[in-house]
Amino acid sequence: KASKRLDSTAVVTMAIDKNKRITKSKKGGKGKKIIDPFKNKQKYEVRTPSYFPVRTAGITICTKTTGTKIASDNLKGRVFPVCLADLKKDDEQSHRIIKLRAEDVQDRRVLTNFYGMQLTTDKLRSLVRKWQTLIEAAVDVKSADGYTLRVFVICFTAKRPNQSKKTFYAQASQIRQIRAKINGIVKEHVQTVDLKGVVEKIVHNIIEKQIDTATRAIYPLNNIYIRKVKVMRSPKFDLNKLMDVHGDTGAAEDTGA
């Protein structure tokens, strides 16, 4: 036993002796330079379309142009989610998130266009209650200027006037009729206007008000919302149309990246 212990000790000692630099730091570790990651970055101002009162949504950061990697190409296609309350200076619109996509870069300004809208999760959760029917509809529709949108509508049944019954569930046939009405109203409103007109109708709840009026004879509804809007397909990029959407943004800043 004693000899075995000695042998094992000898092996350990030999292993340590062979690697004399085991406790020392790596060669050249002290002289390594610490590079600031923001040294090669540039700040760009995110500009919103002219139909929003607040024209600056914030600032985004991008790596400077180096060799074949152009900064403006890196910025194009970025999606910025912005609260509608910040864009309109109206706290009552805080439950809506607007998505803006970068379409073009001019000087240090990123010109964006509408890319989608959705309700916040907490708003959606607050709408769902007992004793009522939830009705959803999804419509694919093309705007007058060639944008294909997918519009999701959510609504809930409400009590009839002077109703004493605790529950207010809609029948399957009534749900189908309400869905058909919603699809028709959404198509009617979106197909006749351009993307700017669609956004204005969504922001001012014009579509929801007409759905409420049109479906009242089938079953009274409440909490009618456009839950989500997605841009499925966009027409070919046109700088002149983008400048029209942004109004006064581009004239003075044409020396773009």
PDB file of all heavy atoms in Angstrom, residues 157-184:
ATOM      1  N   THR A 157     -69.819  39.192 -28.310  1.00  0.00           N
ATOM      2  CA  THR A 157     -71.260  39.436 -28.208  1.00  0.00           C
ATOM      3  C   THR A 157     -71.574  40.227 -26.946  1.00  0.00           C
ATOM      4  O   THR A 157     -70.860  40.137 -25.947  1.00  0.00           O
ATOM      5  CB  THR A 157     -72.031  38.103 -28.183  1.00  0.00           C
ATOM      6  OG1 THR A 157     -71.508  37.283 -27.138  1.00  0.00           O
ATOM      7  CG2 THR A 157     -71.920  37.378 -29.508  1.00  0.00           C
ATOM      8  N   ALA A 158     -72.678  41.003 -27.014  1.00  0.00           N
ATOM      9  CA  ALA A 158     -73.102  41.828 -25.878  1.00  0.00           C
ATOM     10  C   ALA A 158     -74.548  41.489 -25.520  1.00  0.00           C
ATOM     11  O   ALA A 158     -75.265  40.858 -26.303  1.00  0.00           O
ATOM     12  CB  ALA A 158     -72.968  43.302 -26.230  1.00  0.00           C
ATOM     13  N   LYS A 159     -74.982  41.928 -24.353  1.00  0.00           N
ATOM     14  CA  LYS A 159     -76.370  41.706 -23.922  1.00  0.00           C
ATOM     15  C   LYS A 159     -77.336  42.515 -24.776  1.00  0.00           C
ATOM     16  O   LYS A 159     -77.049  43.658 -25.132  1.00  0.00           O
ATOM     17  CB  LYS A 159     -76.537  42.104 -22.446  1.00  0.00           C
ATOM     18  CG  LYS A 159     -76.173  40.998 -21.474  1.00  0.00           C
ATOM     19  CD  LYS A 159     -76.581  41.371 -20.069  1.00  0.00           C
ATOM     20  CE  LYS A 159     -76.274  40.220 -19.109  1.00  0.00           C
ATOM     21  NZ  LYS A 159     -76.703  40.528 -17.734  1.00  0.00           N
ATOM     22  N   ARG A 160     -78.464  41.903 -25.090  1.00  0.00           N
ATOM     23  CA  ARG A 160     -79.525  42.634 -25.789  1.00  0.00           C
ATOM     24  C   ARG A 160     -80.190  43.607 -24.808  1.00  0.00           C
ATOM     25  O   ARG A 160     -80.142  43.387 -23.590  1.00  0.00           O
ATOM     26  CB  ARG A 160     -80.565  41.658 -26.348  1.00  0.00           C
ATOM     27  CG  ARG A 160     -80.036  40.757 -27.453  1.00  0.00           C
ATOM     28  CD  ARG A 160     -81.150  39.869 -27.986  1.00  0.00           C
ATOM     29  NE  ARG A 160     -80.658  38.890 -28.933  1.00  0.00           N
ATOM     30  CZ  ARG A 160     -80.465  39.119 -30.236  1.00  0.00           C
ATOM     31  NH1 ARG A 160     -80.720  40.333 -30.722  1.00  0.00           N
ATOM     32  NH2 ARG A 160     -80.031  38.167 -31.034  1.00  0.00           N
ATOM     33  N   PRO A 161     -80.849  44.643 -25.309  1.00  0.00           N
ATOM     34  CA  PRO A 161     -81.558  45.562 -24.402  1.00  0.00           C
ATOM     35  C   PRO A 161     -82.641  44.835 -23.605  1.00  0.00           C
ATOM     36  O   PRO A 161     -83.372  44.003 -24.142  1.00  0.00           O
ATOM     37  CB  PRO A 161     -82.180  46.589 -25.367  1.00  0.00           C
ATOM     38  CG  PRO A 161     -81.357  46.501 -26.601  1.00  0.00           C
ATOM     39  CD  PRO A 161     -80.883  45.085 -26.704  1.00  0.00           C
ATOM     40  N   ASN A 162     -82.705  45.113 -22.319  1.00  0.00           N
ATOM     41  CA  ASN A 162     -83.699  44.513 -21.397  1.00  0.00           C
ATOM     42  C   ASN A 162     -83.560  42.997 -21.249  1.00  0.00           C
ATOM     43  O   ASN A 162     -84.516  42.312 -20.910  1.00  0.00           O
ATOM     44  CB  ASN A 162     -85.142  44.843 -21.841  1.00  0.00           C
ATOM     45  CG  ASN A 162     -85.365  46.333 -21.952  1.00  0.00           C
ATOM     46  OD1 ASN A 162     -84.881  47.099 -21.114  1.00  0.00           O
ATOM     47  ND2 ASN A 162     -86.071  46.753 -22.993  1.00  0.00           N
ATOM     48  N   GLN A 163     -82.357  42.468 -21.502  1.00  0.00           N
ATOM     49  CA  GLN A 163     -82.142  41.014 -21.361  1.00  0.00           C
ATOM     50  C   GLN A 163     -81.902  40.663 -19.902  1.00  0.00           C
ATOM     51  O   GLN A 163     -81.100  41.310 -19.219  1.00  0.00           O
ATOM     52  CB  GLN A 163     -80.944  40.571 -22.209  1.00  0.00           C
ATOM     53  CG  GLN A 163     -80.663  39.062 -22.120  1.00  0.00           C
ATOM     54  CD  GLN A 163     -79.446  38.668 -22.949  1.00  0.00           C
ATOM     55  OE1 GLN A 163     -79.142  39.300 -23.947  1.00  0.00           O
ATOM     56  NE2 GLN A 163     -78.751  37.623 -22.524  1.00  0.00           N
ATOM     57  N   SER A 164     -82.607  39.622 -19.443  1.00  0.00           N
ATOM     58  CA  SER A 164     -82.437  39.178 -18.060  1.00  0.00           C
ATOM     59  C   SER A 164     -81.557  37.933 -17.964  1.00  0.00           C
ATOM     60  O   SER A 164     -81.052  37.605 -16.897  1.00  0.00           O
ATOM     61  CB  SER A 164     -83.808  38.885 -17.434  1.00  0.00           C
ATOM     62  OG  SER A 164     -84.476  37.898 -18.189  1.00  0.00           O
ATOM     63  N   LYS A 165     -81.369  37.253 -19.081  1.00  0.00           N
ATOM     64  CA  LYS A 165     -80.567  36.028 -19.096  1.00  0.00           C
ATOM     65  C   LYS A 165     -79.100  36.360 -18.811  1.00  0.00           C
ATOM     66  O   LYS A 165     -78.569  37.381 -19.280  1.00  0.00           O
ATOM     67  CB  LYS A 165     -80.700  35.347 -20.458  1.00  0.00           C
ATOM     68  CG  LYS A 165     -80.193  33.918 -20.488  1.00  0.00           C
ATOM     69  CD  LYS A 165     -80.428  33.306 -21.871  1.00  0.00           C
ATOM     70  CE  LYS A 165     -79.893  31.886 -21.917  1.00  0.00           C
ATOM     71  NZ  LYS A 165     -80.056  31.298 -23.271  1.00  0.00           N
ATOM     72  N   LYS A 166     -78.455  35.477 -18.048  1.00  0.00           N
ATOM     73  CA  LYS A 166     -77.072  35.725 -17.619  1.00  0.00           C
ATOM     74  C   LYS A 166     -76.089  35.653 -18.792  1.00  0.00           C
ATOM     75  O   LYS A 166     -75.154  36.452 -18.880  1.00  0.00           O
ATOM     76  CB  LYS A 166     -76.696  34.695 -16.539  1.00  0.00           C
ATOM     77  CG  LYS A 166     -75.345  34.945 -15.900  1.00  0.00           C
ATOM     78  CD  LYS A 166     -75.068  33.882 -14.841  1.00  0.00           C
ATOM     79  CE  LYS A 166     -73.730  34.105 -14.177  1.00  0.00           C
ATOM     80  NZ  LYS A 166     -73.425  33.083 -13.165  1.00  0.00           N
ATOM     81  N   THR A 167     -76.290  34.670 -19.667  1.00  0.00           N
ATOM     82  CA  THR A 167     -75.353  34.456 -20.780  1.00  0.00           C
ATOM     83  C   THR A 167     -75.863  35.129 -22.047  1.00  0.00           C
ATOM     84  O   THR A 167     -77.060  35.348 -22.205  1.00  0.00           O
ATOM     85  CB  THR A 167     -75.171  32.955 -21.047  1.00  0.00           C
ATOM     86  OG1 THR A 167     -76.437  32.382 -21.384  1.00  0.00           O
ATOM     87  CG2 THR A 167     -74.610  32.253 -19.830  1.00  0.00           C
ATOM     88  N   PHE A 168     -74.927  35.431 -22.955  1.00  0.00           N
ATOM     89  CA  PHE A 168     -75.314  35.998 -24.251  1.00  0.00           C
ATOM     90  C   PHE A 168     -74.421  35.399 -25.337  1.00  0.00           C
ATOM     91  O   PHE A 168     -73.552  36.041 -25.900  1.00  0.00           O
ATOM     92  CB  PHE A 168     -75.259  37.536 -24.255  1.00  0.00           C
ATOM     93  CG  PHE A 168     -74.195  38.139 -23.374  1.00  0.00           C
ATOM     94  CD1 PHE A 168     -72.999  38.586 -23.889  1.00  0.00           C
ATOM     95  CD2 PHE A 168     -74.416  38.277 -22.002  1.00  0.00           C
ATOM     96  CE1 PHE A 168     -72.026  39.155 -23.084  1.00  0.00           C
ATOM     97  CE2 PHE A 168     -73.447  38.852 -21.188  1.00  0.00           C
ATOM     98  CZ  PHE A 168     -72.253  39.283 -21.719  1.00  0.00           C
ATOM     99  N   TYR A 169     -74.696  34.104 -25.591  1.00  0.00           N
ATOM    100  CA  TYR A 169     -73.958  33.358 -26.614  1.00  0.00           C
ATOM    101  C   TYR A 169     -74.665  33.475 -27.962  1.00  0.00           C
ATOM    102  O   TYR A 169     -75.894  33.412 -28.036  1.00  0.00           O
ATOM    103  CB  TYR A 169     -73.854  31.876 -26.239  1.00  0.00           C
ATOM    104  CG  TYR A 169     -73.071  31.616 -24.966  1.00  0.00           C
ATOM    105  CD1 TYR A 169     -73.653  30.923 -23.905  1.00  0.00           C
ATOM    106  CD2 TYR A 169     -71.753  32.045 -24.837  1.00  0.00           C
ATOM    107  CE1 TYR A 169     -72.944  30.678 -22.739  1.00  0.00           C
ATOM    108  CE2 TYR A 169     -71.038  31.801 -23.670  1.00  0.00           C
ATOM    109  CZ  TYR A 169     -71.638  31.124 -22.630  1.00  0.00           C
ATOM    110  OH  TYR A 169     -70.929  30.878 -21.474  1.00  0.00           O
ATOM    111  N   ALA A 170     -73.888  33.594 -29.041  1.00  0.00           N
ATOM    112  CA  ALA A 170     -74.437  33.627 -30.401  1.00  0.00           C
ATOM    113  C   ALA A 170     -74.471  32.223 -30.974  1.00  0.00           C
ATOM    114  O   ALA A 170     -73.623  31.376 -30.651  1.00  0.00           O
ATOM    115  CB  ALA A 170     -73.584  34.523 -31.278  1.00  0.00           C
ATOM    116  N   GLN A 171     -75.456  31.954 -31.829  1.00  0.00           N
ATOM    117  CA  GLN A 171     -75.546  30.657 -32.506  1.00  0.00           C
ATOM    118  C   GLN A 171     -74.534  30.599 -33.644  1.00  0.00           C
ATOM    119  O   GLN A 171     -74.055  31.631 -34.133  1.00  0.00           O
ATOM    120  CB  GLN A 171     -76.965  30.458 -33.048  1.00  0.00           C
ATOM    121  CG  GLN A 171     -78.024  30.352 -31.959  1.00  0.00           C
ATOM    122  CD  GLN A 171     -79.423  30.240 -32.530  1.00  0.00           C
ATOM    123  OE1 GLN A 171     -79.617  30.381 -33.740  1.00  0.00           O
ATOM    124  NE2 GLN A 171     -80.399  30.003 -31.665  1.00  0.00           N
ATOM    125  N   ALA A 172     -74.244  29.381 -34.107  1.00  0.00           N
ATOM    126  CA  ALA A 172     -73.243  29.187 -35.176  1.00  0.00           C
ATOM    127  C   ALA A 172     -73.656  29.912 -36.452  1.00  0.00           C
ATOM    128  O   ALA A 172     -72.816  30.508 -37.153  1.00  0.00           O
ATOM    129  CB  ALA A 172     -73.057  27.703 -35.448  1.00  0.00           C
ATOM    130  N   SER A 173     -74.948  29.882 -36.779  1.00  0.00           N
ATOM    131  CA  SER A 173     -75.427  30.564 -37.990  1.00  0.00           C
ATOM    132  C   SER A 173     -75.253  32.088 -37.872  1.00  0.00           C
ATOM    133  O   SER A 173     -74.897  32.763 -38.845  1.00  0.00           O
ATOM    134  CB  SER A 173     -76.902  30.233 -38.230  1.00  0.00           C
ATOM    135  OG  SER A 173     -77.691  30.652 -37.121  1.00  0.00           O
ATOM    136  N   GLN A 174     -75.464  32.622 -36.667  1.00  0.00           N
ATOM    137  CA  GLN A 174     -75.278  34.062 -36.446  1.00  0.00           C
ATOM    138  C   GLN A 174     -73.810  34.453 -36.568  1.00  0.00           C
ATOM    139  O   GLN A 174     -73.480  35.513 -37.115  1.00  0.00           O
ATOM    140  CB  GLN A 174     -75.825  34.452 -35.065  1.00  0.00           C
ATOM    141  CG  GLN A 174     -77.344  34.377 -34.963  1.00  0.00           C
ATOM    142  CD  GLN A 174     -77.836  34.560 -33.544  1.00  0.00           C
ATOM    143  OE1 GLN A 174     -77.193  34.117 -32.585  1.00  0.00           O
ATOM    144  NE2 GLN A 174     -78.991  35.205 -33.384  1.00  0.00           N
ATOM    145  N   ILE A 175     -72.943  33.584 -36.052  1.00  0.00           N
ATOM    146  CA  ILE A 175     -71.491  33.841 -36.142  1.00  0.00           C
ATOM    147  C   ILE A 175     -71.063  33.897 -37.610  1.00  0.00           C
ATOM    148  O   ILE A 175     -70.285  34.766 -38.014  1.00  0.00           O
ATOM    149  CB  ILE A 175     -70.696  32.762 -35.371  1.00  0.00           C
ATOM    150  CG1 ILE A 175     -70.957  32.888 -33.869  1.00  0.00           C
ATOM    151  CG2 ILE A 175     -69.207  32.872 -35.657  1.00  0.00           C
ATOM    152  CD1 ILE A 175     -70.423  31.741 -33.037  1.00  0.00           C
ATOM    153  N   ARG A 176     -71.588  32.975 -38.436  1.00  0.00           N
ATOM    154  CA  ARG A 176     -71.253  32.964 -39.868  1.00  0.00           C
ATOM    155  C   ARG A 176     -71.733  34.240 -40.551  1.00  0.00           C
ATOM    156  O   ARG A 176     -71.021  34.832 -41.366  1.00  0.00           O
ATOM    157  CB  ARG A 176     -71.865  31.734 -40.549  1.00  0.00           C
ATOM    158  CG  ARG A 176     -71.091  30.446 -40.305  1.00  0.00           C
ATOM    159  CD  ARG A 176     -71.516  29.365 -41.284  1.00  0.00           C
ATOM    160  NE  ARG A 176     -72.911  28.963 -41.077  1.00  0.00           N
ATOM    161  CZ  ARG A 176     -73.319  28.025 -40.227  1.00  0.00           C
ATOM    162  NH1 ARG A 176     -72.416  27.382 -39.489  1.00  0.00           N
ATOM    163  NH2 ARG A 176     -74.591  27.706 -40.106  1.00  0.00           N
ATOM    164  N   GLN A 177     -72.934  34.676 -40.215  1.00  0.00           N
ATOM    165  CA  GLN A 177     -73.466  35.921 -40.796  1.00  0.00           C
ATOM    166  C   GLN A 177     -72.620  37.135 -40.394  1.00  0.00           C
ATOM    167  O   GLN A 177     -72.320  38.010 -41.229  1.00  0.00           O
ATOM    168  CB  GLN A 177     -74.917  36.129 -40.331  1.00  0.00           C
ATOM    169  CG  GLN A 177     -75.915  35.177 -40.950  1.00  0.00           C
ATOM    170  CD  GLN A 177     -77.311  35.365 -40.358  1.00  0.00           C
ATOM    171  OE1 GLN A 177     -77.697  36.473 -39.997  1.00  0.00           O
ATOM    172  NE2 GLN A 177     -78.049  34.281 -40.252  1.00  0.00           N
ATOM    173  N   ILE A 178     -72.221  37.180 -39.122  1.00  0.00           N
ATOM    174  CA  ILE A 178     -71.394  38.303 -38.633  1.00  0.00           C
ATOM    175  C   ILE A 178     -70.045  38.306 -39.337  1.00  0.00           C
ATOM    176  O   ILE A 178     -69.555  39.360 -39.768  1.00  0.00           O
ATOM    177  CB  ILE A 178     -71.227  38.212 -37.099  1.00  0.00           C
ATOM    178  CG1 ILE A 178     -72.548  38.555 -36.402  1.00  0.00           C
ATOM    179  CG2 ILE A 178     -70.121  39.150 -36.614  1.00  0.00           C
ATOM    180  CD1 ILE A 178     -72.590  38.225 -34.929  1.00  0.00           C
ATOM    181  N   ARG A 179     -69.451  37.105 -39.504  1.00  0.00           N
ATOM    182  CA  ARG A 179     -68.156  37.009 -40.195  1.00  0.00           C
ATOM    183  C   ARG A 179     -68.261  37.494 -41.645  1.00  0.00           C
ATOM    184  O   ARG A 179     -67.379  38.202 -42.146  1.00  0.00           O
ATOM    185  CB  ARG A 179     -67.668  35.556 -40.171  1.00  0.00           C
ATOM    186  CG  ARG A 179     -66.432  35.410 -39.317  1.00  0.00           C
ATOM    187  CD  ARG A 179     -65.756  34.088 -39.421  1.00  0.00           C
ATOM    188  NE  ARG A 179     -65.416  33.650 -38.071  1.00  0.00           N
ATOM    189  CZ  ARG A 179     -65.876  32.558 -37.500  1.00  0.00           C
ATOM    190  NH1 ARG A 179     -66.709  31.763 -38.141  1.00  0.00           N
ATOM    191  NH2 ARG A 179     -65.517  32.248 -36.280  1.00  0.00           N
ATOM    192  N   ALA A 180     -69.336  37.105 -42.297  1.00  0.00           N
ATOM    193  CA  ALA A 180     -69.540  37.531 -43.692  1.00  0.00           C
ATOM    194  C   ALA A 180     -69.671  39.057 -43.781  1.00  0.00           C
ATOM    195  O   ALA A 180     -69.124  39.691 -44.695  1.00  0.00           O
ATOM    196  CB  ALA A 180     -70.785  36.854 -44.266  1.00  0.00           C
ATOM    197  N   LYS A 181     -70.376  39.638 -42.823  1.00  0.00           N
ATOM    198  CA  LYS A 181     -70.523  41.103 -42.781  1.00  0.00           C
ATOM    199  C   LYS A 181     -69.169  41.781 -42.581  1.00  0.00           C
ATOM    200  O   LYS A 181     -68.846  42.770 -43.242  1.00  0.00           O
ATOM    201  CB  LYS A 181     -71.464  41.500 -41.636  1.00  0.00           C
ATOM    202  CG  LYS A 181     -72.939  41.250 -41.921  1.00  0.00           C
ATOM    203  CD  LYS A 181     -73.565  42.416 -42.643  1.00  0.00           C
ATOM    204  CE  LYS A 181     -75.065  42.222 -42.800  1.00  0.00           C
ATOM    205  NZ  LYS A 181     -75.653  43.260 -43.673  1.00  0.00           N
ATOM    206  N   ILE A 182     -68.377  41.236 -41.644  1.00  0.00           N
ATOM    207  CA  ILE A 182     -67.053  41.806 -41.352  1.00  0.00           C
ATOM    208  C   ILE A 182     -66.174  41.757 -42.602  1.00  0.00           C
ATOM    209  O   ILE A 182     -65.525  42.750 -42.966  1.00  0.00           O
ATOM    210  CB  ILE A 182     -66.387  41.061 -40.171  1.00  0.00           C
ATOM    211  CG1 ILE A 182     -67.118  41.370 -38.862  1.00  0.00           C
ATOM    212  CG2 ILE A 182     -64.910  41.439 -40.053  1.00  0.00           C
ATOM    213  CD1 ILE A 182     -66.700  40.506 -37.691  1.00  0.00           C
ATOM    214  N   ASN A 183     -66.141  40.601 -43.287  1.00  0.00           N
ATOM    215  CA  ASN A 183     -65.320  40.450 -44.497  1.00  0.00           C
ATOM    216  C   ASN A 183     -65.715  41.474 -45.557  1.00  0.00           C
ATOM    217  O   ASN A 183     -64.861  42.116 -46.184  1.00  0.00           O
ATOM    218  CB  ASN A 183     -65.464  39.033 -45.063  1.00  0.00           C
ATOM    219  CG  ASN A 183     -64.815  37.991 -44.169  1.00  0.00           C
ATOM    220  OD1 ASN A 183     -64.163  38.327 -43.191  1.00  0.00           O
ATOM    221  ND2 ASN A 183     -65.000  36.719 -44.490  1.00  0.00           N
ATOM    222  N   GLY A 184     -67.015  41.647 -45.749  1.00  0.00           N
ATOM    223  CA  GLY A 184     -67.499  42.595 -46.754  1.00  0.00           C
ATOM    224  C   GLY A 184     -67.134  44.031 -46.427  1.00  0.00           C
ATOM    225  O   GLY A 184     -66.696  44.792 -47.308  1.00  0.00           O
TER     226      GLY A 184
END
